[in-house]
Amino acid sequence: MSTFKRENSLKMDQGRFQRLSEITSAMQEEGLYKCGLIFGIDYTMSNKVQGEKTFGGKCLHDISEDELNPYQEVITILGETLQPLDEDGLIPAFGFGDSRTKGDAIFPLKDVGSCVGFRDVLATYNRVTPTVKLYRPTNFAPLIYKAINIVRATKKYHILVIAADGQVNSEEETTAAIVEASNWPLSIVTVGVGDGPWGTMNEFDNKLPKRNFDNFQFLCFQDVVDGARNRKTAFALHALMEIPDQYAAIEQLGLMEKLEDE
């Protein structure tokens, strides 16, 4: 894996961010002026019990008017931060781990086309989620390959955000997909929601094999927001702080040019 030792302001000046728009501006200052955004949502059975400590004992997909569930927060915070960088505003959103796909496929949250803006992603998630039957296992591979196909079709750099409540069950398949993704202008941010534990996911992140660039990051949502003065900016910053370095690596490797030549 190539190493790009390029410091960026998202890592160095973390205390200066008070609003999500400031993080967006910082990413632009680091050279990322446009990107696409893709969401993947985990609908495995363990969501029913993974909120025992961190979400008042409720299912992590519980939808109410009183508070946002962790998936809604991930969509809202990262959507608001990244939407200004998305020229067409189209955001594909997919679910996985439900009783229909059973770890072998994904399903689009919207029946026809992509969501238009993160608010549409949130509204679609709110409408669809009560109808989804939770199941198993946790396999990121089908989602990652779908993201690669979207990058190839649109010829645009994308950030894939995977919000998941548990460990990867299909490690070999997921690892192969992440390695293949490093051949394309695609960053993968996986957000662990719920109680964890997340030791296996941290190990999974650290033991990934040689790739063209470090294209995968894992972080625990609750660890980041607990005790944070501003949970929105704290989470957005931790989720996106590696993106400028990844984008610089993509440029140095000529992956955008490779995409244009297809």
Side-chain angles (χ1 to χ4, degrees):
M1 178 170 55
S2 300
T3 302
F4 295 86
K5 296 181 180 179
R6 178 178 175 274
E7 292 297 333
N8 65 71
S9 62
L10 273 75
K11 291 183 177 179
M12 296 173 65
D13 304 320
Q14 299 179 28
R16 70 181 175 93
F17 298 105
Q18 304 300 319
R19 295 185 296 273
L20 294 178
S21 60
E22 294 173 351
I23 297 176
T24 308
S25 297
M27 295 181 72
Q28 292 172 319
E29 291 169 6
E30 292 297 326
L32 180 59
Y33 299 102
K34 58 183 179 180
C35 72
L37 178 60
I38 305 167
F39 279 108
I41 304 296
D42 177 355
Y43 283 104
T44 53
M45 186 74 72
S46 50
N47 278 282
K48 289 186 175 182
V49 297
Q50 281 291 330
E52 182 177 346
K53 299 176 183 177
T54 55
F55 196 52
K58 296 177 291 185
C59 173
L60 296 174
H61 282 298
D62 182 75
I63 296 174
S64 71
E65 296 181 357
D66 299 328
E67 63 178 331
L68 296 179
N69 70 38
Y71 291 98
Q72 291 170 317
E73 285 200 82
V74 170
I75 292 169
T76 301
I77 296 170
L78 295 186
E80 184 177 340
T81 307
L82 294 173
Q83 184 168 291
L85 305 179
D86 192 346
E87 292 176 317
D88 60 16
L90 299 178
I91 305 177
F94 303 95
F96 62 92
D98 67 308
S99 62
R100 290 183 299 162
T101 62
K102 298 178 181 178
D104 297 321
I106 58 176
F107 68 93
L109 292 191
K110 200 163 191 177
D111 291 334
V112 179
S114 298
C115 296
V116 182
F118 78 91
R119 289 183 177 84
D120 191 21
V121 177
L122 184 62
T124 303
Y125 167 85
N126 291 345
R127 183 176 67 254
V128 170
T129 295
T131 71
V132 177
K133 185 176 180 180
L134 307 182
Y135 202 67
R136 58 185 183 274
T138 304
N139 183 5
F140 296 162
L143 176 62
I144 293 171
Y145 286 122
K146 179 63 175 180
I148 292 171
N149 289 336
I150 290 172
V151 168
R152 296 178 69 176
T154 60
K155 298 187 182 300
K156 184 168 70 173
Y157 167 68
H158 278 72
I159 300 170
L160 168 62
V161 176
I162 305 174
D165 82 300
Q167 321 291 355
V168 173
N169 300 118
S170 306
E171 285 195 26
E172 189 173 334
E173 290 179 53
T174 297
T175 296
I178 294 170
V179 171
E180 173 59 24
S182 74
N183 293 310
W184 306 97
L186 174 67
S187 293
I188 304 168
V189 178
T190 298
V191 183
V193 294
D195 299 349
W198 300 110
T200 303
M201 277 305 299
N202 284 315
E203 290 174 10
F204 179 77
D205 188 352
N206 294 329
K207 70 182 182 183
L208 283 167
K210 184 177 181 180
R211 291 155 285 153
N212 284 321
F213 69 102
D214 186 359
N215 62 339
F216 181 90
Q217 178 193 4
F218 171 79
L219 71 155
C220 170
F221 179 80
Q222 205 64 38
D223 284 353
V224 172
V225 300
D226 275 353
R229 287 184 298 176
N230 184 326
R231 65 190 283 134
K232 286 186 176 182
T233 57
F235 171 61
L237 182 61
H238 281 79
L240 301 174
M241 64 168 52
E242 294 186 14
I243 296 298
D245 295 334
Q246 292 177 359
Y247 189 70
I250 286 168
E251 289 188 315
Q252 291 187 46
L253 289 165
L255 298 185
M256 292 302 300
E257 288 79 0
K258 170 188 173 182
L259 197 62
E260 293 296 330
D261 292 340
E262 275 212 326

